[in-house]
Amino acid sequence: MTFRKMLLASVAIACAAIPASALADTSGKKIALSNNYAGNSWRQAMLTSWEKVTGEAVKAGVVAAADAFTTAENQATEQAAQIQNMILQGYDAIVLNAASPTALNGAVKEACDAGITVVSFDGIVTEPCAWRIAVDFKEMGRSQVEYLSKKLPNGGNLLEIRGLAGVFVDDEISAGIHEGVKQFPQFKIVGSVHGDWAQDVAQKAVAGVLPSLPEVIGVVTQGGDGYGAAQAIAAAKRPMPVIVMGNREDELKWWKEQKDANGYETMSVSIAPGVSTLAFWVAQQILDGKEVKKDLVVPFLRIDQDNLEQNLANTQAGGVANVEYTQADAIKVIESAK
């Protein structure tokens, strides 16, 4: 069963047509994407999905504009200024992947006070006036340790690779990993590095910390770092641990090669970068007058040993395993949350 079928299992027919009411009510509305970072394959896939889906929506007359903006330095102050510019430019809604869950709250409140709808996703904000779309990132982290407990029941040493420091997603996944270690105390985290969700950064960070570590039997990750970790461990001529992957094509390709060569087993998990398109449609629905709960949760996308080949075949070279959302998908998510 595909990820989309799991998400929409209770939907008998996915309506591809755009309702006339949406065309009438939001055709003059402008939506902007405020993104804090574009330096890895997940963010690039997220932006590509946004451009593809929103471009079609603009062409169809659903909204007047859906412009994307990315800050240069991944600084909350820079993104706050970006949001303030969007207020001045007259956008009706801002879809936000935030550099910080709290540092942008002032700018977000300014937008809300100006009558602008703010929908945060992935990197969400805590300002009450905003909407939030996220997966259960803590569970995403905890489930990695649970998987390792079944594959390696005797436990052992783990290396943790974290994401961008100070970002909500990084904190939540790491908290979940540590909850998992408490639940399965046969495991011990003996090292932790920041890989910034990028293979090259992760490879350098892991290579730098390996000489100080005892042998590790597992590597818990956040996505975009598994392949880099594997390269660093192989270069150090250490036994290859079970590395949890993050749905990137290079990770899945390496996993497939190892699986074919020696039966290597692991799992892979991440949020689908196309969640940006869900956030777009949620913003459009709010502008269309729909009642939407402030907090929406979507499933994370997990790949296991038995569906690796299928997911790899469907993942673009250099990309990330993905799902893009339709308006019908967004309506389903909104309705299921009520």
Side-chain angles (χ1 to χ4, degrees), residues 140-169:
M140 202 171 99
R142 191 207 65 83
S143 67
Q144 296 183 42
V145 186
E146 181 178 50
Y147 167 81
L148 292 174
S149 74
K150 295 175 181 178
K151 181 165 179 53
L152 305 167
N154 292 329
N157 296 323
L158 303 179
L159 170 63
E160 178 188 15
I161 306 178
R162 299 187 57 165
L164 279 171
V167 176
F168 167 82
V169 176

Side-chain angles (χ1 to χ4, degrees), residues 117-141:
T117 295
V118 180
V119 178
S120 62
F121 72 98
D122 187 41
I124 60 175
V125 293
T126 58
E127 167 54 47
C129 72
W131 280 262
R132 286 160 289 278
I133 301 173
V135 305
D136 187 343
F137 289 111
K138 282 187 179 179
E139 176 57 22
M140 202 171 99

